[in-house]
Amino acid sequence: MLQKNAIQFNEAAPEVYKAMARVEGAITQHGQDALLRHLVKLRASQINGCAFCVKMHVAEARQDGET
């Protein structure tokens, strides 16, 4: 569920969003461990101070089996 005031990056910066999606695809394609990817994204969100992203990445990681 998105917050009402959450930035829609695909609308705000479509080229950046597309580039990030390509990076994510390349990392996934080359077999990077899914749980490690979740933890890296979570840490980046913590560093950026984005509570919305922290919550999202925690939920995704837990859904994939992270404790």
Side-chain angles (χ1 to χ4, degrees), residues 3 6 12 21 28 36 38 41 45-48 53 57-59 63:
Q3 296 174 345
T28 302
L36 178 58
H38 287 307
K41 291 178 190 179
S45 296
Q46 290 172 326
I47 291 168
N48 290 331
C53 293
H57 293 308
V58 166
Q63 193 172 35

Side-chain angles (χ1 to χ4, degrees), residues 1-56:
M1 178 178 194
L2 292 177
Q3 296 174 345
K4 289 183 180 183
N5 61 350
I7 296 172
Q8 299 298 310
F9 289 105
N10 58 331
E11 295 173 8
E15 293 304 314
V16 173
Y17 184 81
K18 289 176 192 175
M20 289 175 61
R22 287 192 303 271
V23 168
E24 177 74 16
I27 291 169
T28 302
Q29 183 179 17
H30 286 81
Q32 182 65 39
D33 180 64
L35 295 180
L36 178 58
R37 280 197 323 268
H38 287 307
L39 294 175
V40 169
K41 291 178 190 179
L42 174 58
R43 184 63 185 134
S45 296
Q46 290 172 326
I47 291 168
N48 290 331
C50 182
F52 173 82
C53 293
V54 167
K55 184 176 179 181
M56 175 181 64

